[in-house]
């Protein structure tokens, strides 16, 4: 009784961004809109370009390197599910994010655009994984609120 089933939204940052994109790939009709901040979209890209490469392979993907376990990396990547996505998505990442490099956001955004899924990308200049200056943190939060309001059923 406390949830408006017509207005379900999903959002998360970093690991939560991964889970947000995973959820909309698995449940394409469940959410009105989504916001993924600082997401990993492709575990191969993550393993080979982030500042925590060794952790990616060792702890999250069974110890295999991307070239040895490509199928595992791909199966666990939200990008592998982008063909299912119908949910409008805003993606927000700092340009200096070395934990989840902005190339991940760019790839997912382009895939959504190729599929004509409503999408918006917010690039935060000079911001790292902590989302940059206070004004950029505020900009990120307001972008999510605005995105959700745009898709809310009134």
């Amino acid at each position: 009784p406390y949830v408006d089933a017509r207005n379900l939204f999903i959002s998360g940052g970093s690991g939560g961004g991964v889970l947000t994109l995973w959820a909309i790939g698995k449940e394409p009709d469940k959410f009105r809109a989504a916001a993924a901040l600082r997401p990993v979209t492709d575990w191969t890209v993550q393993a080979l370009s982030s500042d925590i490469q060794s952790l990616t392979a060792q702890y999250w993907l069974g110890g295999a390197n991307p070239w040895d376990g490509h199928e595992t990396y791909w199966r666990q990547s939200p990008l592998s599910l982008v063909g299912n996505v119908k949910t409008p998505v805003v993606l927000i990442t700092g340009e200096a994010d070395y934990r989840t490099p902005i190339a991940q956001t760019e790839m997912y955004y382009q895939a959504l655009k190729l599929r004509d899924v409503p999408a918006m990308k917010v690039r935060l200049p000079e911001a790292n994984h902590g989302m940059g200056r206070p004004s950029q943190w505020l900009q990120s939060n307001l972008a999510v609120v605005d995105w959700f309001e745009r898709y809310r059923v009134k």
Side-chain angles (χ1 to χ4, degrees):
Y2 303 104
V3 176
D4 180 355
R6 299 172 312 143
N7 283 305
L8 292 179
F9 300 92
I10 188 168
S11 177
S14 196
V18 177
L19 296 175
T20 294
L21 298 180
W22 190 262
I24 64 172
K26 288 288 192 176
E27 296 283 346
D29 297 312
K30 186 169 192 156
F31 302 100
R32 298 286 307 158
L37 294 78
R38 315 178 301 282
V40 171
T41 64
D42 183 323
W43 284 104
T44 297
V45 173
Q46 179 71 10
L48 298 174
S49 65
S50 79
D51 66 345
I52 55 170
Q53 300 97 335
S54 62
L55 296 175
T56 300
Q58 184 176 0
Y59 295 108
W60 296 325
L61 292 153
N65 287 311
W67 49 90
D68 296 325
H70 182 70
E71 297 79 19
T72 299
Y73 278 69
W74 181 246
R75 246 189 347 268
Q76 294 184 29
S77 295
L79 191 59
S80 72
L81 301 173
V82 77
N84 300 336
V85 175
K86 299 177 190 173
T87 309
V89 182
V90 60
L91 299 147
I92 304 171
T93 302
E95 291 179 349
D97 190 336
Y98 298 108
R99 182 68 33 94
T100 56
I102 196 160
Q104 305 237 23
T105 291
E106 298 284 352
M107 290 168 37
Y108 200 88
Y109 174 78
Q110 290 300 331
L112 292 172
K113 296 310 271 183
L114 286 170
R115 297 199 55 253
D116 293 322
V117 174
M120 181 173 75
K121 173 181 56 177
V122 178
R123 295 175 62 108
L124 303 171
E126 301 175 12
N128 60 27
H129 199 64
M131 298 307 287
R133 298 181 304 277
S135 61
Q136 291 173 313
W137 183 85
L138 178 60
Q139 176 189 11
S140 300
N141 284 286
L142 293 175
V144 172
V145 170
D146 179 61
W147 189 254
F148 287 174
E149 187 60 31
R150 184 181 305 183
Y151 290 97
R152 183 174 69 91
V153 175
K154 292 164 174 75

